[in-house]
Amino acid sequence: MGQAWGFGRYGGPEVQEFFDRPDPAPGSGEVLVRVGVAGVNPLDHLLRAGLVPGLDGGRPFPRVLGMEAAGTVLAVGADVDGLEVGDAVFGFALTGGGTYAETTVLSAANTARIPAGLPVTVAATLPVAGTTAVDALDQLGLPADATILVNGVGGGVGLAVAGLATARGLHVLGTGSSAKREQAEAIGVRFVDYTAGDVVAMARDLVPDGVDGIVDLVGGPSLRTVASLAREPRNVIAVGDQSVPEVGGRFVERRLDRENLARSAQLALDGVLVPVVGAVHPLSDAPAALAAVENGHAAGKVVIKVT
Ligand SMILES: NC(=O)c1ccc[n+]([C@@H]2O[C@H](COP(=O)([O-])OP(=O)(O)OC[C@H]3O[C@@H](n4cnc5c(N)ncnc54)[C@H](OP(=O)(O)O)[C@@H]3O)[C@@H](O)[C@H]2O)c1
């Protein structure tokens, strides 16, 4: 039995609640994990609101929030290769375990060992923000010296993309509100404050010929505005807005497998992929953690430290 935080029905923050739940039994291809740190993501509140029913597996209520975690394997289900009790691991809860909890089940195929020397808190940021950064930049496939714009640079994915791109020798412009400037500039981003005027005009002051690629984390009208800065429309990669083909761009192709997780962990260990953890909340403070992401202006990656 352990404490968990989730929701009793679809709705806004008012449907969220703490409750006790028995440790979930790991099914075939799953591992039971004592959660050390859980990552908080925009998809979490969208699932709570019932906006992505295709992803919640139709599980009974109450449901536990959260889809990524790092922790320690407590038990191994059938048909699991390469993971053992006692392993420090990080990965995805794709089958409904929910990770804002003392224990959860992770999908073994989407879980990897944490390499020695990598902090658990960093590992917890890799399934979503870390591998998304790797995937988006791999998909763009631009050479060193190319210039990209990261639209929404101040959040969990944006700072990870910007750091990895800089380490690969790309020149990076990033958009965000003024509170994000210092953090972004610290990792080499030329910052455009979208609250200070015409974003495209301000960016053109820095890159008169536009950019070689865009990684968009904002979507909607913002994506449509900045897309004009890309010299090649197909080099607009959107991470959250699936309507991106309307501006000639592509939606990010995600790789959630163990191999890509292990690769992102190695990049993090090498100091090449540097997820920026903006806030660490205890489980008892999970409502504030999710609210910080739900308000749309999170700074860096928000995580919940469970044990
Ligand atoms: N497809 C996938 O597998 C996948 C994986 C990860 C994330 N995503 C999606 O990607 C998106 C970003 O995720 P995230 O975890 O980085 O979110 P996040 O941590 O909440 O960050 C979003 C950032 O965007 C900034 N922002 C908001 N409006 C903006 C605007 N008009 N211009 C520039 N910046 C703006 C916000 O702060 P300021 O406004 O204060 O600058 C905030 O820092 C979400 O839609 C998420 O669901 C998808």
Side-chain angles (χ1 to χ4, degrees), residues 134-141 235 237 250-254:
V134 170
D135 289 345
L137 290 177
D138 282 359
Q139 197 173 341
L140 270 178
N235 282 347
I237 305 293
R250 295 170 285 165
F251 195 67
V252 65
E253 289 169 15
R254 297 285 283 115

Side-chain angles (χ1 to χ4, degrees), residues 178-259:
S178 53
K180 309 298 169 7
R181 177 184 291 279
E182 193 177 332
Q183 185 81 68
E185 289 183 342
I187 58 169
V189 173
R190 283 184 286 169
F191 190 77
V192 177
D193 179 353
Y194 73 87
T195 67
D198 181 332
V199 178
V200 170
M202 290 186 284
R204 290 247 179 234
D205 282 344
L206 299 172
V207 285
D209 297 332
V211 294
D212 298 299
I214 294 176
V215 178
D216 172 73
L217 290 326
V218 181
S222 171
L223 163 62
R224 280 158 175 70
T225 301
V226 300
S228 64
L229 289 163
R231 284 195 283 276
E232 172 57 63
R234 73 184 301 277
N235 282 347
V236 178
I237 305 293
V239 169
D241 188 337
Q242 304 216 27
S243 72
V244 62
E246 292 171 15
V247 296
R250 295 170 285 165
F251 195 67
V252 65
E253 289 169 15
R254 297 285 283 115
R255 293 169 295 179
L256 310 184
D257 55 276
R258 187 182 295 170
E259 189 183 349

Side-chain angles (χ1 to χ4, degrees), residues 5 13 16 18 100 281-294 304:
W5 190 65
Q16 296 167 172
F18 285 99
Y100 297 9
H281 297 260
L283 182 58
S284 59
D285 206 19
L290 186 57
V293 171
E294 189 162 4
I304 296 172

Side-chain angles (χ1 to χ4, degrees), residues 15-223:
V15 303
Q16 296 167 172
E17 60 187 20
F18 285 99
F19 53 94
D20 290 326
R21 72 164 172 179
D23 292 342
S28 176
E30 293 179 336
V31 288
L32 173 67
V33 168
R34 176 164 302 291
V35 177
V37 179
V40 179
N41 292 289
L43 189 57
D44 299 346
H45 64 78
L46 297 177
L47 282 164
R48 184 210 62 218
L51 296 176
V52 272
L55 282 186
D56 67 21
R59 289 171 287 126
F61 294 106
R63 295 178 185 165
V64 181
L65 281 152
M67 71 188 70
E68 66 180 338
T72 307
V73 176
L74 295 176
V76 175
D79 304 316
V80 171
D81 293 323
L83 299 177
E84 294 171 8
V85 172
D87 282 349
V89 296
F90 68 108
F92 289 98
L94 294 180
T95 49
T99 58
Y100 297 9
E102 291 180 68
T103 57
T104 189
V105 286
L106 300 182
S107 164
N110 312 98
T111 296
R113 286 199 176 105
I114 302 175
L118 189 69
V120 174
T121 302
V122 173
T125 71
L126 295 176
V128 178
T131 64
T132 300
V134 170
D135 289 345
L137 290 177
D138 282 359
Q139 197 173 341
L140 270 178
L142 293 170
D145 262 352
T147 299
I148 65 164
L149 172 73
V150 180
N151 193 38
V153 75
V157 180
L159 286 169
V161 171
L164 182 59
T166 304
R168 288 182 175 180
L170 301 175
H171 305 287
V172 181
L173 264 65
T175 62
S177 67
S178 53
K180 309 298 169 7
R181 177 184 291 279
E182 193 177 332
Q183 185 81 68
E185 289 183 342
I187 58 169
V189 173
R190 283 184 286 169
F191 190 77
V192 177
D193 179 353
Y194 73 87
T195 67
D198 181 332
V199 178
V200 170
M202 290 186 284
R204 290 247 179 234
D205 282 344
L206 299 172
V207 285
D209 297 332
V211 294
D212 298 299
I214 294 176
V215 178
D216 172 73
L217 290 326
V218 181
S222 171
L223 163 62

